[in-house]
Amino acid sequence: MSVTSVGLDIGGTKTLGLAVDGTGRIVAEVRRPTDAGPAGVIRTAAAVVAELRAVTGEPLAVPVGVGIPGLVDAEQGVVRHAVNLGLTGDSLPLRDLLSAELGTPVTVENDANAATLGAVAHTGHGDLVYLSIGTGLAAGLAVEGRLHRGVHGAAGEVGHIPVDPQGLACSCGQTGCLETVASGSALAAAWPVADDYPAQALFAAAAAGDPKAIAVRDRFAAGVAAAVRVLCLTVDPDTVVLGGGVAQLGDPLRVAIAAALLDQASRAPFLAALDLAGRLRVLPSEVPVAALGAALLGQRP
């Protein structure tokens, strides 16, 4: 079956593109580093689609769905405050600019929301929170299978909840946000390594019994657990899917966060009754839910 849509997951470090057929099957996949700034984002997205065209041998004159960090006006296709992509100035009319570049219809959505659609499709759970732990920290919210974006597209921006007045400066302009403790960039700063896999290095060192690694891992896990707690007390979902680059750790990540939630619940019977730890789930790392959700978004009217 021929390609019916393209999905782009534009992240702070990489852009993943998928060509998908009408059954949701992934026909082709391309990954490139993301160039920062408005022109860089457009250039990267266009390069990924061009490579998908080359790989599939098809013109790909099909709808393109885009998942991108920041505040997204899905109706207008405009992105604001995607700070990890260098989009900190005026609003970027990404839909119109990219549609003109590609010559195809484009739909733009917050990346966590796009991943939420992918997670809903993959798990079959309609009441779901997708917590993306990548360069930043953000969540997508699905209620009865439908996205909840909020009036300004800020629903789920849990990473920018300040929790420590004496904490680190956050890229959003506030101080002590959850993202400064519980994100891939925060973990990399707390456990610097020579390669590109600080999360794997940290968890391996902690598993080997390194006391410093254990302390860093547990602080990170407690920060993510705080985000899970806030989200569950706000929307009370059936399932919390852990995603983003750090989630490539797989079950060890879920176990660490569950342990932090259980520790918090041991001192609060109210939390214990909610079984927050039991709601956690990590999808297989080979399931590219953000790009898949973006492609499904492109197939929707």
Side-chain angles (χ1 to χ4, degrees), residues 13-87:
T13 56
K14 56 84 182 172
T15 293
L16 174 65
L18 301 180
V20 175
D21 70 15
T23 68
R25 181 179 66 91
I26 298 171
V27 176
E29 180 175 327
V30 168
R31 187 186 309 260
R32 293 178 66 99
T34 302
D35 294 335
V41 168
I42 298 293
R43 182 169 60 250
T44 303
V48 168
V49 174
E51 194 168 341
L52 284 170
R53 285 170 172 159
V55 170
T56 61
E58 296 187 29
L60 298 188
V62 296
V64 175
V66 177
I68 189 168
L71 300 180
V72 177
D73 183 333
E75 185 175 342
Q76 300 298 321
V78 171
V79 182
R80 295 181 291 124
H81 301 298
V83 291
N84 294 320
L85 286 167
L87 305 181

Short mmCIF file of all heavy atoms in Angstrom, two decimals, residues 13-87:
data_model
loop_
_atom_site.label_atom_id
_atom_site.label_comp_id
_atom_site.label_asym_id
_atom_site.label_seq_id
_atom_site.Cartn_x
_atom_site.Cartn_y
_atom_site.Cartn_z
N THR A 13 17.28 17.74 19.66
CA THR A 13 18.54 17.19 19.15
C THR A 13 18.38 16.49 17.80
O THR A 13 19.32 16.45 17.01
CB THR A 13 19.13 16.17 20.14
OG1 THR A 13 18.17 15.16 20.42
CG2 THR A 13 19.52 16.87 21.44
N LYS A 14 17.18 15.94 17.53
CA LYS A 14 17.00 15.22 16.27
C LYS A 14 15.58 15.41 15.76
O LYS A 14 14.65 15.73 16.50
CB LYS A 14 17.30 13.72 16.44
CG LYS A 14 16.51 13.00 17.52
CD LYS A 14 15.15 12.51 17.10
CE LYS A 14 14.40 11.85 18.24
NZ LYS A 14 12.99 11.53 17.89
N THR A 15 15.44 15.18 14.45
CA THR A 15 14.12 15.16 13.81
C THR A 15 13.93 13.80 13.19
O THR A 15 14.77 13.34 12.40
CB THR A 15 14.00 16.26 12.74
OG1 THR A 15 14.02 17.54 13.37
CG2 THR A 15 12.70 16.11 11.97
N LEU A 16 12.86 13.12 13.56
CA LEU A 16 12.53 11.79 13.04
C LEU A 16 11.34 11.92 12.10
O LEU A 16 10.33 12.52 12.45
CB LEU A 16 12.19 10.84 14.18
CG LEU A 16 11.69 9.45 13.78
CD1 LEU A 16 12.79 8.68 13.07
CD2 LEU A 16 11.23 8.67 15.02
N GLY A 17 11.49 11.37 10.91
CA GLY A 17 10.41 11.38 9.94
C GLY A 17 9.96 9.98 9.59
O GLY A 17 10.79 9.08 9.42
N LEU A 18 8.64 9.79 9.47
CA LEU A 18 8.07 8.51 9.08
C LEU A 18 7.16 8.69 7.87
O LEU A 18 6.42 9.67 7.79
CB LEU A 18 7.22 7.91 10.21
CG LEU A 18 7.86 7.63 11.56
CD1 LEU A 18 6.81 7.05 12.51
CD2 LEU A 18 9.04 6.70 11.43
N ALA A 19 7.21 7.73 6.97
CA ALA A 19 6.22 7.62 5.91
C ALA A 19 5.31 6.46 6.30
O ALA A 19 5.79 5.35 6.60
CB ALA A 19 6.90 7.35 4.56
N VAL A 20 4.00 6.70 6.33
CA VAL A 20 3.04 5.73 6.87
C VAL A 20 1.95 5.46 5.84
O VAL A 20 1.51 6.37 5.13
CB VAL A 20 2.41 6.30 8.17
CG1 VAL A 20 1.32 5.38 8.71
CG2 VAL A 20 3.49 6.50 9.22
N ASP A 21 1.52 4.19 5.76
CA ASP A 21 0.44 3.86 4.84
C ASP A 21 -0.91 3.94 5.55
O ASP A 21 -0.99 4.29 6.73
CB ASP A 21 0.66 2.50 4.17
CG ASP A 21 0.51 1.32 5.13
OD1 ASP A 21 -0.02 1.49 6.25
OD2 ASP A 21 0.94 0.21 4.76
N GLY A 22 -1.97 3.61 4.83
CA GLY A 22 -3.32 3.77 5.36
C GLY A 22 -3.66 2.88 6.52
O GLY A 22 -4.63 3.14 7.25
N THR A 23 -2.89 1.84 6.76
CA THR A 23 -3.13 0.95 7.90
C THR A 23 -2.34 1.37 9.13
O THR A 23 -2.44 0.73 10.17
CB THR A 23 -2.75 -0.50 7.53
OG1 THR A 23 -1.33 -0.60 7.38
CG2 THR A 23 -3.45 -0.95 6.26
N GLY A 24 -1.53 2.42 9.00
CA GLY A 24 -0.67 2.84 10.10
C GLY A 24 0.68 2.17 10.10
O GLY A 24 1.48 2.38 11.01
N ARG A 25 0.97 1.37 9.06
CA ARG A 25 2.26 0.69 8.97
C ARG A 25 3.34 1.69 8.55
O ARG A 25 3.14 2.50 7.64
CB ARG A 25 2.19 -0.45 7.96
CG ARG A 25 3.49 -1.26 7.81
CD ARG A 25 3.31 -2.39 6.82
NE ARG A 25 3.07 -1.90 5.48
CZ ARG A 25 4.03 -1.66 4.58
NH1 ARG A 25 5.30 -1.87 4.91
NH2 ARG A 25 3.72 -1.24 3.38
N ILE A 26 4.49 1.61 9.19
CA ILE A 26 5.62 2.48 8.85
C ILE A 26 6.32 1.93 7.62
O ILE A 26 6.83 0.81 7.63
CB ILE A 26 6.60 2.59 10.03
CG1 ILE A 26 5.91 3.22 11.24
CG2 ILE A 26 7.82 3.41 9.63
CD1 ILE A 26 6.73 3.18 12.50
N VAL A 27 6.34 2.73 6.55
CA VAL A 27 6.94 2.32 5.29
C VAL A 27 8.42 2.70 5.24
O VAL A 27 9.25 1.96 4.70
CB VAL A 27 6.18 2.96 4.11
CG1 VAL A 27 6.86 2.62 2.78
CG2 VAL A 27 4.72 2.52 4.10
N ALA A 28 8.76 3.86 5.80
CA ALA A 28 10.15 4.33 5.78
C ALA A 28 10.38 5.24 6.97
O ALA A 28 9.45 5.86 7.49
CB ALA A 28 10.47 5.06 4.48
N GLU A 29 11.64 5.32 7.40
CA GLU A 29 12.01 6.11 8.57
C GLU A 29 13.34 6.81 8.31
O GLU A 29 14.28 6.19 7.79
CB GLU A 29 12.13 5.18 9.79
CG GLU A 29 12.52 5.86 11.08
CD GLU A 29 12.48 4.90 12.27
OE1 GLU A 29 11.63 3.98 12.27
OE2 GLU A 29 13.31 5.07 13.18
N VAL A 30 13.41 8.11 8.65
CA VAL A 30 14.62 8.91 8.44
C VAL A 30 14.86 9.75 9.69
O VAL A 30 13.92 10.30 10.27
CB VAL A 30 14.48 9.83 7.21
CG1 VAL A 30 15.60 10.87 7.17
CG2 VAL A 30 14.47 9.02 5.92
N ARG A 31 16.13 9.86 10.08
CA ARG A 31 16.49 10.64 11.27
C ARG A 31 17.66 11.56 10.92
O ARG A 31 18.63 11.14 10.31
CB ARG A 31 16.89 9.69 12.40
CG ARG A 31 17.15 10.34 13.75
CD ARG A 31 17.69 9.32 14.73
NE ARG A 31 16.88 8.12 14.77
CZ ARG A 31 15.98 7.87 15.72
NH1 ARG A 31 15.80 8.73 16.70
NH2 ARG A 31 15.28 6.75 15.70
N ARG A 32 17.53 12.85 11.32
CA ARG A 32 18.60 13.82 11.09
C ARG A 32 18.74 14.72 12.31
O ARG A 32 17.76 14.97 13.01
CB ARG A 32 18.30 14.70 9.87
CG ARG A 32 18.30 14.00 8.54
CD ARG A 32 17.95 14.96 7.43
NE ARG A 32 18.97 15.98 7.25
CZ ARG A 32 19.90 15.94 6.32
NH1 ARG A 32 19.95 14.93 5.46
NH2 ARG A 32 20.79 16.91 6.20
N PRO A 33 19.96 15.26 12.57
CA PRO A 33 20.10 16.25 13.64
C PRO A 33 19.27 17.49 13.33
O PRO A 33 19.14 17.88 12.16
CB PRO A 33 21.60 16.57 13.63
CG PRO A 33 22.24 15.43 12.90
CD PRO A 33 21.23 14.94 11.92
N THR A 34 18.69 18.10 14.37
CA THR A 34 17.87 19.29 14.18
C THR A 34 18.74 20.55 14.23
O THR A 34 19.49 20.75 15.18
CB THR A 34 16.79 19.39 15.27
OG1 THR A 34 15.98 18.21 15.25
CG2 THR A 34 15.91 20.61 15.06
N ASP A 35 18.63 21.38 13.21
CA ASP A 35 19.28 22.68 13.21
C ASP A 35 18.39 23.66 13.97
O ASP A 35 17.18 23.72 13.73
CB ASP A 35 19.50 23.18 11.78
CG ASP A 35 20.48 22.32 11.01
OD1 ASP A 35 21.32 21.67 11.65
OD2 ASP A 35 20.38 22.29 9.77
N ALA A 36 18.98 24.41 14.89
CA ALA A 36 18.19 25.31 15.74
C ALA A 36 17.78 26.57 15.00
O ALA A 36 18.36 26.93 13.97
CB ALA A 36 19.00 25.66 16.99
N GLY A 37 16.80 27.25 15.57
CA GLY A 37 16.32 28.50 15.01
C GLY A 37 15.23 28.28 13.99
O GLY A 37 15.07 27.17 13.46
N PRO A 38 14.43 29.31 13.68
CA PRO A 38 13.33 29.16 12.72
C PRO A 38 13.76 28.59 11.38
O PRO A 38 13.17 27.62 10.88
CB PRO A 38 12.79 30.59 12.59
CG PRO A 38 13.15 31.26 13.87
CD PRO A 38 14.47 30.67 14.27
N ALA A 39 14.81 29.18 10.79
CA ALA A 39 15.27 28.69 9.49
C ALA A 39 15.82 27.28 9.59
O ALA A 39 15.61 26.45 8.69
CB ALA A 39 16.33 29.63 8.92
N GLY A 40 16.49 26.97 10.69
CA GLY A 40 17.06 25.64 10.87
C GLY A 40 16.00 24.57 11.00
O GLY A 40 16.14 23.47 10.44
N VAL A 41 14.92 24.87 11.71
CA VAL A 41 13.82 23.91 11.87
C VAL A 41 13.18 23.61 10.53
O VAL A 41 12.93 22.44 10.19
CB VAL A 41 12.79 24.44 12.88
CG1 VAL A 41 11.50 23.61 12.84
CG2 VAL A 41 13.36 24.44 14.29
N ILE A 42 12.89 24.65 9.74
CA ILE A 42 12.30 24.46 8.42
C ILE A 42 13.25 23.67 7.52
O ILE A 42 12.84 22.73 6.82
CB ILE A 42 11.97 25.82 7.76
CG1 ILE A 42 10.95 26.60 8.59
CG2 ILE A 42 11.47 25.62 6.33
CD1 ILE A 42 9.60 25.98 8.64
N ARG A 43 14.51 24.04 7.54
CA ARG A 43 15.52 23.37 6.70
C ARG A 43 15.62 21.89 7.06
O ARG A 43 15.68 21.02 6.17
CB ARG A 43 16.86 24.07 6.88
CG ARG A 43 17.98 23.50 6.02
CD ARG A 43 19.21 24.40 6.04
NE ARG A 43 19.75 24.58 7.39
CZ ARG A 43 19.69 25.73 8.07
NH1 ARG A 43 19.11 26.79 7.54
NH2 ARG A 43 20.22 25.83 9.27
N THR A 44 15.65 21.57 8.34
CA THR A 44 15.76 20.18 8.77
C THR A 44 14.54 19.38 8.36
O THR A 44 14.65 18.26 7.84
CB THR A 44 15.94 20.09 10.30
OG1 THR A 44 17.09 20.84 10.69
CG2 THR A 44 16.12 18.65 10.74
N ALA A 45 13.34 19.94 8.61
CA ALA A 45 12.12 19.23 8.25
C ALA A 45 12.05 18.96 6.75
O ALA A 45 11.70 17.85 6.32
CB ALA A 45 10.90 20.06 8.69
N ALA A 46 12.42 19.95 5.95
CA ALA A 46 12.39 19.76 4.50
C ALA A 46 13.40 18.70 4.06
O ALA A 46 13.13 17.89 3.16
CB ALA A 46 12.69 21.10 3.80
N ALA A 47 14.56 18.67 4.71
CA ALA A 47 15.58 17.69 4.36
C ALA A 47 15.11 16.27 4.70
O ALA A 47 15.37 15.32 3.95
CB ALA A 47 16.89 18.00 5.09
N VAL A 48 14.42 16.12 5.82
CA VAL A 48 13.92 14.80 6.21
C VAL A 48 12.87 14.32 5.21
O VAL A 48 12.88 13.15 4.78
CB VAL A 48 13.34 14.85 7.64
CG1 VAL A 48 12.55 13.58 7.94
CG2 VAL A 48 14.46 15.01 8.66
N VAL A 49 11.95 15.19 4.81
CA VAL A 49 10.93 14.80 3.84
C VAL A 49 11.58 14.47 2.49
O VAL A 49 11.19 13.49 1.83
CB VAL A 49 9.87 15.90 3.68
CG1 VAL A 49 8.89 15.55 2.55
CG2 VAL A 49 9.11 16.09 4.99
N ALA A 50 12.57 15.24 2.10
CA ALA A 50 13.27 14.96 0.84
C ALA A 50 13.92 13.58 0.89
O ALA A 50 13.88 12.82 -0.10
CB ALA A 50 14.33 16.04 0.57
N GLU A 51 14.49 13.24 2.03
CA GLU A 51 15.13 11.93 2.15
C GLU A 51 14.08 10.81 2.16
O GLU A 51 14.31 9.73 1.59
CB GLU A 51 15.98 11.87 3.42
CG GLU A 51 16.93 10.68 3.45
CD GLU A 51 17.96 10.78 4.56
OE1 GLU A 51 18.21 11.90 5.07
OE2 GLU A 51 18.55 9.73 4.89
N LEU A 52 12.93 11.06 2.77
CA LEU A 52 11.85 10.07 2.74
C LEU A 52 11.37 9.85 1.31
O LEU A 52 11.07 8.72 0.91
CB LEU A 52 10.68 10.52 3.62
CG LEU A 52 10.86 10.37 5.13
CD1 LEU A 52 9.72 11.07 5.88
CD2 LEU A 52 10.92 8.89 5.54
N ARG A 53 11.30 10.93 0.54
CA ARG A 53 10.92 10.79 -0.87
C ARG A 53 11.92 9.92 -1.62
O ARG A 53 11.55 9.07 -2.43
CB ARG A 53 10.82 12.17 -1.51
CG ARG A 53 9.58 12.96 -1.11
CD ARG A 53 9.63 14.40 -1.57
NE ARG A 53 8.35 15.06 -1.34
CZ ARG A 53 8.19 16.38 -1.24
NH1 ARG A 53 9.25 17.19 -1.37
NH2 ARG A 53 6.99 16.89 -1.04
N ALA A 54 13.20 10.12 -1.31
CA ALA A 54 14.24 9.34 -1.98
C ALA A 54 14.17 7.88 -1.58
O ALA A 54 14.31 6.97 -2.42
CB ALA A 54 15.61 9.93 -1.66
N VAL A 55 13.94 7.63 -0.30
CA VAL A 55 13.91 6.25 0.20
C VAL A 55 12.70 5.49 -0.34
O VAL A 55 12.81 4.32 -0.74
CB VAL A 55 13.90 6.25 1.75
CG1 VAL A 55 13.63 4.85 2.28
CG2 VAL A 55 15.23 6.76 2.28
N THR A 56 11.52 6.15 -0.36
CA THR A 56 10.29 5.46 -0.79
C THR A 56 10.14 5.44 -2.30
O THR A 56 9.41 4.60 -2.85
CB THR A 56 9.05 6.14 -0.18
OG1 THR A 56 8.99 7.50 -0.64
CG2 THR A 56 9.10 6.10 1.34
N GLY A 57 10.81 6.38 -2.99
CA GLY A 57 10.62 6.49 -4.42
C GLY A 57 9.28 7.08 -4.80
O GLY A 57 8.85 6.99 -5.96
N GLU A 58 8.60 7.69 -3.83
CA GLU A 58 7.30 8.30 -4.07
C GLU A 58 7.41 9.82 -3.92
O GLU A 58 8.24 10.33 -3.16
CB GLU A 58 6.26 7.77 -3.08
CG GLU A 58 6.00 6.28 -3.21
CD GLU A 58 4.83 5.84 -2.32
OE1 GLU A 58 3.93 6.65 -2.05
OE2 GLU A 58 4.83 4.67 -1.89
N PRO A 59 6.54 10.57 -4.62
CA PRO A 59 6.60 12.03 -4.50
C PRO A 59 6.13 12.54 -3.14
O PRO A 59 6.44 13.67 -2.75
CB PRO A 59 5.66 12.51 -5.61
CG PRO A 59 4.74 11.36 -5.86
CD PRO A 59 5.55 10.13 -5.61
N LEU A 60 5.39 11.71 -2.41
CA LEU A 60 4.88 12.04 -1.08
C LEU A 60 4.10 13.36 -1.08
O LEU A 60 4.28 14.23 -0.23
CB LEU A 60 6.02 12.11 -0.06
CG LEU A 60 6.81 10.82 0.18
CD1 LEU A 60 7.78 10.99 1.35
CD2 LEU A 60 5.87 9.65 0.44
N ALA A 61 3.20 13.47 -2.07
CA ALA A 61 2.28 14.60 -2.11
C ALA A 61 1.10 14.28 -1.20
O ALA A 61 -0.06 14.18 -1.62
CB ALA A 61 1.82 14.87 -3.54
N VAL A 62 1.42 14.09 0.07
CA VAL A 62 0.45 13.63 1.07
C VAL A 62 0.49 14.58 2.26
O VAL A 62 1.43 15.36 2.42
CB VAL A 62 0.78 12.19 1.53
CG1 VAL A 62 0.65 11.22 0.37
CG2 VAL A 62 2.17 12.13 2.15
N PRO A 63 -0.54 14.53 3.13
CA PRO A 63 -0.51 15.38 4.32
C PRO A 63 0.70 15.07 5.20
O PRO A 63 1.10 13.92 5.34
CB PRO A 63 -1.82 15.03 5.04
CG PRO A 63 -2.71 14.49 3.98
CD PRO A 63 -1.80 13.77 3.02
N VAL A 64 1.25 16.12 5.79
CA VAL A 64 2.38 15.99 6.71
C VAL A 64 1.94 16.49 8.08
O VAL A 64 1.45 17.61 8.21
CB VAL A 64 3.59 16.81 6.22
CG1 VAL A 64 4.72 16.77 7.25
CG2 VAL A 64 4.08 16.29 4.87
N GLY A 65 2.09 15.64 9.09
CA GLY A 65 1.82 16.03 10.46
C GLY A 65 3.13 16.28 11.18
O GLY A 65 4.09 15.54 10.99
N VAL A 66 3.17 17.33 11.99
CA VAL A 66 4.40 17.71 12.69
C VAL A 66 4.14 17.79 14.18
O VAL A 66 3.20 18.44 14.63
CB VAL A 66 4.90 19.09 12.20
CG1 VAL A 66 6.14 19.51 12.99
CG2 VAL A 66 5.20 19.06 10.71
N GLY A 67 4.98 17.12 14.95
CA GLY A 67 5.00 17.29 16.40
C GLY A 67 6.23 18.07 16.78
O GLY A 67 7.34 17.75 16.35
N ILE A 68 6.06 19.14 17.57
CA ILE A 68 7.16 20.03 17.91
C ILE A 68 6.99 20.55 19.32
O ILE A 68 5.86 20.76 19.78
CB ILE A 68 7.24 21.21 16.88
CG1 ILE A 68 8.51 22.03 17.09
CG2 ILE A 68 5.99 22.07 16.94
CD1 ILE A 68 8.77 23.01 15.95
N PRO A 69 8.08 20.77 20.07
CA PRO A 69 7.94 21.29 21.42
C PRO A 69 7.43 22.73 21.42
O PRO A 69 7.43 23.41 20.40
CB PRO A 69 9.37 21.25 21.97
CG PRO A 69 10.14 20.40 21.04
CD PRO A 69 9.47 20.49 19.72
N GLY A 70 6.99 23.18 22.59
CA GLY A 70 6.58 24.57 22.76
C GLY A 70 5.08 24.73 22.82
O GLY A 70 4.32 23.76 22.86
N LEU A 71 4.65 25.99 22.84
CA LEU A 71 3.23 26.32 22.83
C LEU A 71 2.77 26.34 21.38
O LEU A 71 3.26 27.13 20.58
CB LEU A 71 2.97 27.68 23.49
CG LEU A 71 3.39 27.80 24.95
CD1 LEU A 71 3.07 29.20 25.47
CD2 LEU A 71 2.70 26.75 25.81
N VAL A 72 1.84 25.46 21.05
CA VAL A 72 1.41 25.30 19.66
C VAL A 72 -0.07 25.65 19.54
O VAL A 72 -0.91 25.10 20.26
CB VAL A 72 1.64 23.85 19.17
CG1 VAL A 72 1.11 23.68 17.75
CG2 VAL A 72 3.12 23.50 19.23
N ASP A 73 -0.37 26.55 18.65
CA ASP A 73 -1.75 26.83 18.26
C ASP A 73 -2.05 25.90 17.10
O ASP A 73 -1.70 26.19 15.95
CB ASP A 73 -1.90 28.30 17.85
CG ASP A 73 -3.34 28.67 17.50
OD1 ASP A 73 -4.10 27.78 17.08
OD2 ASP A 73 -3.70 29.85 17.63
N ALA A 74 -2.69 24.76 17.41
CA ALA A 74 -2.90 23.74 16.39
C ALA A 74 -3.82 24.24 15.29
O ALA A 74 -3.68 23.86 14.13
CB ALA A 74 -3.47 22.47 17.03
N GLU A 75 -4.77 25.11 15.63
CA GLU A 75 -5.71 25.61 14.63
C GLU A 75 -5.01 26.51 13.61
O GLU A 75 -5.28 26.46 12.42
CB GLU A 75 -6.84 26.37 15.31
CG GLU A 75 -7.92 26.84 14.35
CD GLU A 75 -9.10 27.47 15.07
OE1 GLU A 75 -9.23 27.25 16.29
OE2 GLU A 75 -9.87 28.19 14.41
N GLN A 76 -4.09 27.35 14.09
CA GLN A 76 -3.38 28.28 13.22
C GLN A 76 -2.05 27.72 12.71
O GLN A 76 -1.45 28.30 11.80
CB GLN A 76 -3.13 29.60 13.96
CG GLN A 76 -4.39 30.30 14.41
CD GLN A 76 -5.27 30.71 13.25
OE1 GLN A 76 -4.79 31.14 12.20
NE2 GLN A 76 -6.59 30.57 13.42
N GLY A 77 -1.57 26.64 13.34
CA GLY A 77 -0.29 26.07 12.93
C GLY A 77 0.90 26.91 13.32
O GLY A 77 1.92 26.94 12.64
N VAL A 78 0.76 27.59 14.46
CA VAL A 78 1.79 28.53 14.92
C VAL A 78 2.47 27.99 16.17
O VAL A 78 1.81 27.41 17.05
CB VAL A 78 1.15 29.91 15.22
CG1 VAL A 78 2.14 30.84 15.90
CG2 VAL A 78 0.64 30.53 13.92
N VAL A 79 3.79 28.18 16.27
CA VAL A 79 4.58 27.69 17.41
C VAL A 79 5.18 28.89 18.14
O VAL A 79 5.70 29.82 17.51
CB VAL A 79 5.72 26.77 16.94
CG1 VAL A 79 6.50 26.22 18.14
CG2 VAL A 79 5.17 25.64 16.09
N ARG A 80 5.13 28.85 19.47
CA ARG A 80 5.75 29.88 20.30
C ARG A 80 6.54 29.22 21.43
O ARG A 80 6.16 28.16 21.92
CB ARG A 80 4.69 30.81 20.93
CG ARG A 80 3.92 31.64 19.93
CD ARG A 80 2.91 32.55 20.62
NE ARG A 80 1.83 31.77 21.21
CZ ARG A 80 1.48 31.83 22.49
NH1 ARG A 80 2.16 32.60 23.33
NH2 ARG A 80 0.47 31.11 22.94
N HIS A 81 7.61 29.84 21.83
CA HIS A 81 8.36 29.46 23.03
C HIS A 81 8.85 28.02 23.00
O HIS A 81 8.82 27.32 24.01
CB HIS A 81 7.54 29.70 24.29
CG HIS A 81 7.11 31.13 24.47
ND1 HIS A 81 8.01 32.16 24.62
CD2 HIS A 81 5.88 31.69 24.49
CE1 HIS A 81 7.35 33.29 24.74
NE2 HIS A 81 6.06 33.05 24.66
N ALA A 82 9.31 27.55 21.85
CA ALA A 82 9.99 26.25 21.79
C ALA A 82 11.46 26.52 22.10
O ALA A 82 12.33 26.53 21.22
CB ALA A 82 9.82 25.61 20.42
N VAL A 83 11.74 26.75 23.38
CA VAL A 83 13.05 27.28 23.79
C VAL A 83 14.18 26.32 23.48
O VAL A 83 15.31 26.75 23.19
CB VAL A 83 13.04 27.65 25.29
CG1 VAL A 83 12.14 28.84 25.54
CG2 VAL A 83 12.59 26.47 26.16
N ASN A 84 13.92 25.01 23.53
CA ASN A 84 14.98 24.04 23.26
C ASN A 84 15.33 23.95 21.78
O ASN A 84 16.31 23.28 21.41
CB ASN A 84 14.59 22.66 23.79
CG ASN A 84 14.48 22.65 25.30
OD1 ASN A 84 15.30 23.26 25.98
ND2 ASN A 84 13.46 21.99 25.83
N LEU A 85 14.53 24.62 20.94
CA LEU A 85 14.82 24.66 19.51
C LEU A 85 15.31 26.04 19.07
O LEU A 85 15.50 26.29 17.88
CB LEU A 85 13.55 24.32 18.71
CG LEU A 85 13.12 22.85 18.71
CD1 LEU A 85 11.72 22.70 18.17
CD2 LEU A 85 14.09 22.02 17.89
N GLY A 86 15.50 26.92 20.03
CA GLY A 86 15.93 28.27 19.70
C GLY A 86 14.82 29.14 19.15
O GLY A 86 15.07 30.16 18.51
N LEU A 87 13.55 28.74 19.39
CA LEU A 87 12.40 29.53 18.94
C LEU A 87 11.90 30.34 20.12
O LEU A 87 10.94 29.98 20.80
CB LEU A 87 11.30 28.62 18.40
CG LEU A 87 11.71 27.65 17.29
CD1 LEU A 87 10.53 26.82 16.83
CD2 LEU A 87 12.33 28.40 16.12
#
